[in-house]
Amino acid sequence: MTRRGFHASVLALVAATATPAFAQDAELSIGMAAPITSLDPHEDSNSPNNATSRHIWDSLINRGGSAENKPQLAESWEVVDDTHWRFHLREGVTFHDGSAFDADDVVASLIRARDKESQAFASYTRNISEVIAEDPLTVVVETAVPDPMILNSLSRIRIISSDYAEADVAEFENGPAAVGTGPFKLVSYTPGDRVELERNEDYFDGASEWSKVTLRLVPDNGGRLASLLAGDLDLIENLPAEGVARVESSNGMKVIRGQSTRLVYLGMDVSRDESPFVTAKDGSALGSNPLKDARVRKALLMAMNREAIVDRVMQKNGTVADQYVAEGFFGHSDEVEHVAYDPEGAKALLAEAGYPDGFALTIHGPSGRYVNDSEVVQAAGQMLTRIGIDTKVEVLPWSVYSNNYSNGEYSLFLGSWGVNTGEVSNPALAVVAGRDADKGTGRYNGGGIDVPEINDLLDQATASLDEAEREPLLQEVSKLTFEDTWLLPMHYENVVMGARTGIEFKPRGDKYTLAYEVKSAE
Amino acid sequence: MDSKLADAAQIAPPKPRASAALLRFLKAPTALIGVIGLTLVVGVAVFAPILSPQDPYDLMQLDIMDSRLPPGSESFTGVPYHLGTDGQGRDILSGIMYGLRTSLIVGIVSAFVAALIGTTLGLLAAYLGGRGEALLMRLVDLQLSFPTILMALMVLAILGNGVTNVVLAIIVAEWATYARTARGTALVEREKEYIEAARCLRIPARRILLRHMLPNCLAPIIVIATMQVARAIGLEATLSFLGLGASVTQPSLGMLIANGYQYLLSGLYWISFYPGIALLITIVCINLVGDRLRDVLNPRNAR
C-alpha cells in the first residue's frame, strides 16, 4: 500500500460514514444536457457554467439543493448593520496549487466578478460597494443599500486565488488559472466535449468518493440517452420523457426524479380594457376584457385539469402547482387553497360574471423552451374549449415569443420562472410586481398586473434584512397573488435524470448536477 | 390574310388523339395502380369530414386523457381509434384524412402557381432573347444552385409560419425549375419553321406565344408539374416536421409525423408510422402517374 493510499484509508475511517467508499478509485461520467460557455467562473452566468464551476471552486456560502444557505468558505457570518456583513473565513483551506486561502482571495474574487467586462454577475454584485479584509480570516462586505439577498448573491460567486485576479478567460480554460479550493481539480477541458476532473484529496469537507469525474457535454437528447444505455455515462441530466420507459425497463438502469423550482404558469392580460386576442364568438369586439374579472380568471383555472396535464402531457415529470413555490420554500403560504378541476363550476362562474355563452380567445405559447411547452398550451386550449371558450392555439419559436410575451402583446400566454433563489420575492418581483424600469421590477410581467398591495408588500420585503420579518410579508404576497388568480399556476417542472442503479443522487432545486453530491449505493 | 387561316396553316407536329393517349397511358400496370391509388387518396381527402370518425381540428372533440392510445383502442365515449391517438388525444386516422387535405392543397396549388409563373417567364425569355433572357436565366441559375429546402426556410424565416406562407415558400423555391424547362423547350420550338411562318405572317407576339409555342412546350411542363406536386407535398411535410408549417392544432401529415417522432424510441410507433405510410402512398402514386405521363408524352416513345 502506498503511503498516500494508506493516508487516504485512514482518513476514510475517520470521515463520516456517509461516504463509505471514498478512498477507492472510482470513476464517474456525467452527461450534461447543456454545453458550458466558459470555464472562467466570472465570465458568463448560466446554469451549466455555474454548476461546472462549483466542482472546481467554492463560494463563501454553499447553496444547498433546497436553496438553503450553508457555510462553505465562510464558516459563519453576522450582520454588522443594514449595509455591512462580516464573514469569518474557514481556517486551513488550501488551493489546488498548495497556496493558502485567505481574505485577499475573497476580496479579489468579489471585485473581479463585479468589475468584469462581461457584467455577467451584475445582478448579484450590483449592491456590493466595497469588500474589506479586516484580517486574514475576516472579510466585511459593504452594500450600497440594504440587501436581504446578499447571502444568495455571494453563494453564486466563486472564490478564485488572488494570484489569478488579473488572469483572462484563456488562462482559466487552458488550466493554469483554474485553481480553486473545490472538491475537484481540473485535468483538462475540451470545449463542446468534456471537462475532466480528479479528486482533491485535501478538500476541507472530506474528499469525494470519485477519484476521477468526467463531465460530458451532450446536448442531444437521443445521444445522451443512448450513451447512458450503452454504459458510457453513469448519470445523465434531462432524461427525455419518451426515454423514461426505456430506462425503467432496462436492467441496471433507473430514473431519478426530483422537484425543481421552475414554475410554469399561464399569464393573462389584466390591464387593457379590450384585449387584442379576446373577442366574442363571432369574432366581433367584445367591448370589455373578461380577464380583468377575478371570477373569469378563477373559472379559467377551474377549467384546467392540471392533474391530467401532469399525468398525460408531462408524463408525470411535473407536480401540480398552486403558488409560486412548493411547500417548504420561503414565502409559501398555507392559506392558498388548491383550486380543483371543475368544468361545471367554471361555466357557472363565467355565467355569473356575465359571459354565459363564453367568448373566444387565442392562447399563445413558445415551442422548445420549456418541457413540452407546445403540448401544454394545446391541452390548455382543449380544456378552455370545454367550458365554452372558443380557443385558438398559436405556438411560436422562442426567439419571437420571448420578447412578445414579456412585453404584454398577448391575452393569454404560457410563462415560466425558474425560482433560483428558492423564495417568493424572486418570481413575484419579475412576473407580478408592477412594471417599473427604475426599480427593476415587473420586467416579465406580461399581463400588466399592477396591484398596489402586492407592490407595497414586495417593497417592504426587499428592504428588510430580517428573515422573520420577511417571511410573513412574502406569504401574504403569495396569498394575494393566487387568491385573486393573477396568474394561473400550472405545474412545477420536475428534474428527471437517468442513472445506473449503483448511483445515488438527490436532484437539486436549481437543477445543478454536482459530482460531489453523487454517491454510490454499492 | 385572315389570322384563322394562318393558324390553320401552321406546320405543327400532329397532336395525338386524347382517347388514344389515355389508352396508351393506362397500358402500364404501374400507371393503373398510380391512378387508382391517387383517386383513393384524393377521395379520402375530399370526403374527410364525412369519412373521419373525429374532427381532429375541433379542440372540443379531443381529450388529453385519450392521448397516446394504441391502435384499436376506444375513447371514453366509445369512438374507436383504429390507428391509435397522438400526444393530444387526436385520432390518427382522422388526423391523416384531414392532413391529406392540407398536403394535397399545398402540393397542387403551389405546383400550379409555380408552373404558371415559371412557364410564363421561361417562354418570354426564350421568345424575347437578349438581355432580359440573360438576366432571367442567371437568376434561375442562381436560385437552382441553392438547395430547395434552404430557399424555403429563408422565405419562411421572413414571412413566418402558416399554410399560406408555406405555399408561397414552395412557389418561390420551385418556379425556377419550370422557367428553365419552358425556356429550353421554347428555344427549340422558336427555331422551327412554323414559328418562322407565323412570324412572317405578322401574327402578334402574344398570339404566337400562347397559341403556337405554349401548346408545343406543354408536354414536359405537365410532366414536371406532376412530379413537383409530389415534391411540394414532401417539402411541406419537411417544413412542418421542422415546426415551420401548419398551425399546431391543424396538423398536416408532416406535423403528425413530427409529433410522434419523439416517441419512436419508447415504442409508440403508430403516431409517426401511419401518417408516414399515408405520405408515402400519396407521393408514390403521384410519381407513378407522372412517370407514365412522361413516357406517353415523349414523342420519341410514340410508335
Side-chain angles (χ1 to χ4, degrees):
Chain A
M1 187 179 265
T2 62
R3 175 174 281 266
R4 189 168 177 182
F6 173 76
H7 231 80
S9 41
V10 170
L11 266 173
L13 291 172
V14 175
T17 45
T19 54
F22 101 100
Q24 292 163 13
D25 278 350
E27 297 188 6
L28 179 71
S29 290
I30 300 176
M32 307 223 333
I36 61 173
T37 55
S38 174
L39 254 197
D40 182 334
H42 305 143
E43 175 64 17
D44 201 358
S45 174
N46 57 48
S47 296
N49 281 17
N50 295 343
T52 304
S53 67
R54 276 199 60 163
H55 289 85
I56 304 170
W57 291 275
D58 288 324
S59 298
L60 286 180
I61 311 291
N62 175 11
R63 190 111 189 120
S66 315
E68 69 279 18
N69 293 318
K70 298 186 290 194
Q72 199 166 41
L73 288 178
E75 231 169 3
S76 63
W77 53 87
E78 67 216 23
V79 183
V80 182
D81 58 44
D82 273 2
T83 54
H84 290 83
W85 294 68
R86 180 175 289 115
F87 295 89
H88 301 284
L89 305 182
R90 197 175 291 277
E91 211 179 333
V93 175
T94 54
F95 283 96
H96 298 158
D97 61 3
S99 61
F101 157 76
D102 64 21
D104 288 341
D105 301 312
V106 176
V107 176
S109 302
L110 298 188
I111 297 301
R112 181 176 190 264
R114 185 190 68 183
D115 296 343
K116 205 162 198 323
E117 203 176 333
S118 66
Q119 282 297 300
F121 288 82
S123 60
Y124 303 120
T125 56
R126 72 195 154 106
N127 286 335
I128 298 177
S129 56
E130 212 171 337
V131 187
I132 307 137
E134 286 192 334
D135 64 59
L137 289 176
T138 313
V139 168
V140 169
V141 174
E142 184 188 291
T143 59
V145 290
D147 183 355
M149 300 308 294
I150 191 72
L151 293 181
N152 168 59
S153 298
L154 291 175
S155 77
R156 281 157 203 285
I157 302 168
R158 309 285 173 256
I159 304 299
I160 60 166
S161 162
S162 55
D163 296 348
Y164 299 107
E166 306 293 325
D168 59 16
V169 173
E171 284 178 75
F172 280 89
E173 299 191 342
N174 299 335
V179 174
T181 57
F184 296 96
K185 299 177 186 175
L186 179 71
V187 176
S188 71
Y189 167 50
T190 317
D193 181 37
R194 68 186 65 203
V195 179
E196 289 189 22
L197 304 162
E198 68 178 10
R199 174 165 60 201
N200 173 8
E201 305 286 354
D202 303 321
Y203 189 52
F204 75 84
D205 209 12
S208 164
E209 64 177 279
W210 308 106
S211 59
K212 191 167 176 266
V213 170
T214 309
L215 306 177
R216 286 264 307 276
L217 316 175
V218 196
D220 178 60
N221 278 346
R224 208 161 57 245
L225 175 60
S227 295
L228 174 74
L229 294 174
D232 291 342
L233 296 173
D234 301 310
L235 176 67
I236 62 169
E237 294 183 342
N238 281 15
L239 176 65
E242 52 279 7
V244 169
R246 187 72 193 276
V247 169
E248 269 170 347
S249 64
S250 301
N251 258 338
M253 298 283 160
K254 66 174 178 183
V255 177
I256 297 178
R257 290 191 170 87
Q259 192 171 311
S260 82
T261 47
R262 179 169 284 285
L263 168 73
V264 174
Y265 64 88
L266 292 179
M268 295 155 290
D269 174 14
V270 295
S271 62
R272 272 171 284 213
D273 286 330
E274 282 204 53
S275 200
F277 294 100
V278 181
T279 61
K281 281 192 166 175
D282 57 7
S284 60
L286 203 56
S288 61
N289 178 0
L291 300 172
K292 288 182 100 166
D293 189 322
R295 289 170 297 187
V296 174
R297 297 197 297 267
K298 176 111 185 253
L300 297 193
L301 189 56
M302 286 161 78
M304 294 295 155
N305 189 348
R306 291 174 285 166
E307 284 77 10
I309 289 181
V310 165
D311 186 54
R312 308 302 306 189
V313 180
M314 300 297 291
Q315 296 177 64
K316 301 193 176 71
N317 295 342
T319 313
V320 172
D322 284 313
Q323 49 182 304
Y324 296 113
V325 290
E327 207 173 340
F329 287 93
F330 196 77
H332 171 95
S333 166
D334 294 333
E335 288 176 62
V336 175
E337 279 173 26
H338 174 67
V339 177
Y341 170 56
D342 178 7
E344 292 312 312
K347 276 187 202 163
L349 254 183
L350 275 186
E352 193 190 313
Y355 303 96
D357 302 321
F359 45 89
L361 60 71
T362 306
I363 178 170
H364 286 84
S367 74
R369 172 65 180 88
Y370 310 117
V371 179
N372 299 327
D373 42 16
S374 106
E375 285 81 3
V376 170
V377 179
Q378 290 179 59
Q382 283 184 19
M383 291 164 185
L384 292 180
T385 310
R386 287 209 158 67
I387 63 160
I389 299 176
D390 284 356
T391 311
K392 277 211 311 199
V393 180
E394 268 196 51
V395 173
L396 297 104
W398 171 246
S399 53
V400 182
Y401 182 81
S402 63
N403 258 325
N404 290 357
Y405 98 92
S406 56
N407 289 335
E409 290 183 21
Y410 301 134
S411 294
L412 180 64
F413 55 91
L414 186 80
S416 174
W417 194 262
V419 187
N420 288 326
T421 57
E423 51 77 63
V424 164
S425 79
N426 168 283
L429 279 171
V431 174
V432 170
R435 196 179 283 257
D436 185 332
D438 293 336
K439 281 199 293 179
T441 61
R443 174 66 191 85
Y444 295 93
N445 181 349
I449 306 163
D450 196 1
V451 188
E453 294 97 310
I454 294 180
N455 295 347
D456 289 346
L457 284 167
L458 282 171
D459 281 344
Q460 290 173 43
T462 46
S464 166
L465 293 180
D466 183 359
E467 300 245 313
E469 196 179 312
R470 278 159 50 79
E471 182 147 34
L473 294 172
L474 292 177
Q475 284 170 342
E476 189 66 14
V477 169
S478 294
K479 186 177 154 222
L480 287 179
T481 309
F482 295 98
E483 208 170 49
D484 280 337
T485 332
W486 292 109
L487 295 179
L488 307 179
M490 300 299 282
H491 54 261
Y492 306 111
E493 282 182 1
N494 281 6
V495 187
V496 188
M497 310 178 79
R500 62 180 173 80
T501 36
I503 298 287
E504 295 287 343
F505 179 68
K506 188 175 182 301
R508 299 165 50 91
D510 53 17
K511 288 192 166 186
Y512 289 6
T513 309
L514 302 180
Y516 189 67
E517 294 179 7
V518 177
K519 306 289 173 204
S520 78
E522 285 142 7
Chain B
M1 192 190 276
D2 194 291
S3 69
K4 267 187 188 161
L5 260 178
D7 284 358
Q10 64 176 246
I11 319 158
K15 280 183 194 160
R17 292 229 316 279
S19 56
L22 188 68
L23 261 179
R24 224 148 45 81
F25 178 85
L26 290 178
K27 250 186 196 164
T30 49
L32 200 64
I33 295 173
V35 169
I36 294 173
L38 204 55
T39 318
L40 261 169
V41 165
V42 172
V44 165
V46 170
F47 297 109
I50 303 165
L51 294 173
S52 71
Q54 184 193 59
D55 178 356
Y57 294 173
D58 180 3
L59 288 180
M60 195 71 175
Q61 293 187 29
L62 306 186
D63 194 328
I64 195 78
M65 294 313 287
D66 283 348
S67 61
R68 297 186 299 275
L69 293 178
S73 318
E74 277 190 4
S75 78
F76 205 63
T77 48
V79 183
Y81 296 128
H82 299 291
L83 301 183
T85 60
D86 71 2
Q88 288 292 319
R90 196 179 285 118
D91 177 29
I92 296 284
L93 180 62
S94 309
I96 290 174
M97 291 176 168
Y98 276 76
L100 272 176
R101 297 184 125 193
T102 318
S103 296
L104 285 175
I105 290 173
V106 168
I108 293 169
V109 171
S110 61
F112 182 76
V113 178
L116 203 66
I117 297 172
T119 311
T120 312
L121 290 176
L123 280 180
L124 270 177
Y127 187 79
L128 298 176
R131 265 194 205 162
E133 181 189 24
L135 190 72
L136 198 71
M137 285 306 122
R138 292 301 80 74
L139 187 66
V140 166
D141 287 343
L142 186 70
Q143 180 158 355
L144 286 178
S145 63
F146 279 102
T148 319
I149 183 80
L150 184 67
M151 203 66 210
L153 281 176
M154 270 157 37
V155 174
L156 281 180
I158 298 165
L159 297 177
N161 293 11
V163 176
T164 329
N165 290 345
V166 168
V167 171
L168 280 176
I170 297 177
I171 292 171
V172 170
E174 297 287 6
W175 71 272
T177 320
Y178 296 98
R180 173 172 276 184
T181 313
R183 173 180 167 267
T185 332
L187 276 182
V188 175
E189 296 294 322
R190 195 179 67 176
E191 304 306 323
K192 287 190 178 163
E193 290 90 345
Y194 73 97
I195 298 290
E196 209 173 316
R199 273 188 176 159
C200 292
L201 292 170
R202 297 194 142 242
I203 296 172
R206 193 168 55 97
R207 200 173 170 80
I208 295 180
L209 271 172
L210 288 179
R211 295 293 295 272
H212 299 276
M213 277 171 79
L214 179 64
N216 288 306
C217 298
L218 220 46
I221 300 285
I222 289 174
V223 173
I224 292 183
T226 324
M227 303 291 202
Q228 288 289 2
V229 170
R231 265 180 65 104
I233 290 175
L235 192 56
E236 187 276 333
T238 313
L239 292 170
S240 291
F241 184 85
L242 295 174
L244 291 162
S247 137
V248 282
T249 48
Q250 307 201 344
S252 66
L253 289 179
M255 192 168 282
L256 285 173
I257 297 172
N259 284 346
Y261 169 69
Q262 52 172 327
Y263 300 114
L264 279 180
L265 251 186
S266 44
L268 311 178
Y269 68 93
W270 58 89
I271 307 176
S272 284
F273 180 72
Y274 293 115
I277 293 291
L279 188 66
L280 183 80
I281 292 176
T282 312
I283 292 182
V284 165
C285 287
I286 296 176
N287 278 337
L288 285 178
V289 171
D291 261 356
R292 187 61 193 152
L293 218 57
R294 188 183 58 203
D295 291 347
V296 171
L297 291 180
N298 189 343
R300 276 194 209 122
N301 295 353
R303 299 271 176 263

